[in-house]
Amino acid sequence: MRNFVQSSTIGTTRTLTCAAFAGTDADFRDITIAGAAAPASGTRLGDAKGNSGITFGAGATKYWNLNAGGNWGGAIGWATSSGGSPAINNFPLAQDTCLFEATGLTSGNTVTINAAYNIGTINMSARTSNTMTLAIGSTLPFIYGNLINGTGVLFSGAGPITFAGRTSQTITSAAVNLTYSDITRCV
């Protein structure tokens, strides 16, 4: 499970003055770390924009590598290389690119975004003839990069999605209808 430390108002920074900092598996939005702990660093820290005084790892490409599909965060489905071994520590961060290749997911299976995750770019452009379904549950995922579809991707679920990257973001539909109830942008 990931923690999300965020300002109560998007775009309004809140300052945390810390004597020490130890962080693992947390996302930050509109937070400044000050005091003896600055710059703060930790393990698998997600940059959901508007932060300072925190050292984040560089964005990386994470590859979905479970043939049967599954839940975005509940399954250990992410690898750090094409065909690589999935592991829980490979969970994609807000600054990462989530790549769905033409291989690694058997045709007809579903990947479900089942919680309010902070997600970087979702790239499914290689999914052309080998179909998959991307389902959004009733929770609100935040996308900080682009949504790049492939012609072999179907969408299901009526959940909303929010683009929260604070710069220009792109939806590439590949002529496939998006079924989501609400697509919003917050800055």
Side-chain angles (χ1 to χ4, degrees):
M1 178 172 169
R2 296 191 60 78
N3 295 302
F4 190 17
V5 181
Q6 61 183 323
S7 169
S8 58
T9 305
I10 293 175
T12 301
T13 304
R14 305 295 184 210
T15 300
L16 302 175
T17 302
C18 305
F21 178 90
T24 300
D25 293 323
D27 296 326
F28 294 85
R29 181 172 64 203
D30 296 318
I31 298 296
T32 294
I33 301 289
S41 61
T43 305
R44 295 180 303 277
L45 301 181
D47 183 9
K49 307 300 181 193
N51 302 298
S52 63
I54 306 170
T55 302
F56 296 99
T61 300
K62 305 294 176 75
Y63 300 79
W64 182 266
N65 200 22
L66 280 184
N67 291 335
N71 289 330
W72 187 275
I76 302 171
W78 297 100
T80 57
S81 62
S82 178
S85 296
I88 194 68
N89 289 342
N90 299 334
F91 185 83
L93 306 175
Q95 63 266 32
D96 292 340
T97 296
C98 306
L99 187 63
F100 292 87
E101 299 177 287
T103 60
L105 180 64
T106 306
S107 182
N109 283 312
T110 299
V111 175
T112 302
I113 300 175
N114 57 334
Y117 296 118
N118 294 307
I119 300 170
T121 291
I122 301 174
N123 186 343
M124 302 171 290
S125 61
R127 303 296 298 199
T128 54
S129 61
N130 191 6
T131 62
M132 67 169 275
T133 300
L134 182 66
I136 303 289
S138 60
T139 56
L140 178 72
F142 291 94
I143 299 177
Y144 293 89
N146 300 317
L147 177 62
I148 306 165
N149 196 22
T151 57
V153 177
L154 305 173
F155 294 95
S156 72
I161 58 175
T162 297
F163 286 86
R166 303 202 183 164
T167 60
S168 295
Q169 292 175 264
T170 303
I171 298 172
T172 303
S173 71
V176 175
N177 290 331
L178 301 176
T179 61
Y180 309 125
S181 63
D182 192 14
I183 297 175
T184 59
R185 176 155 166 53
C186 68
V187 291

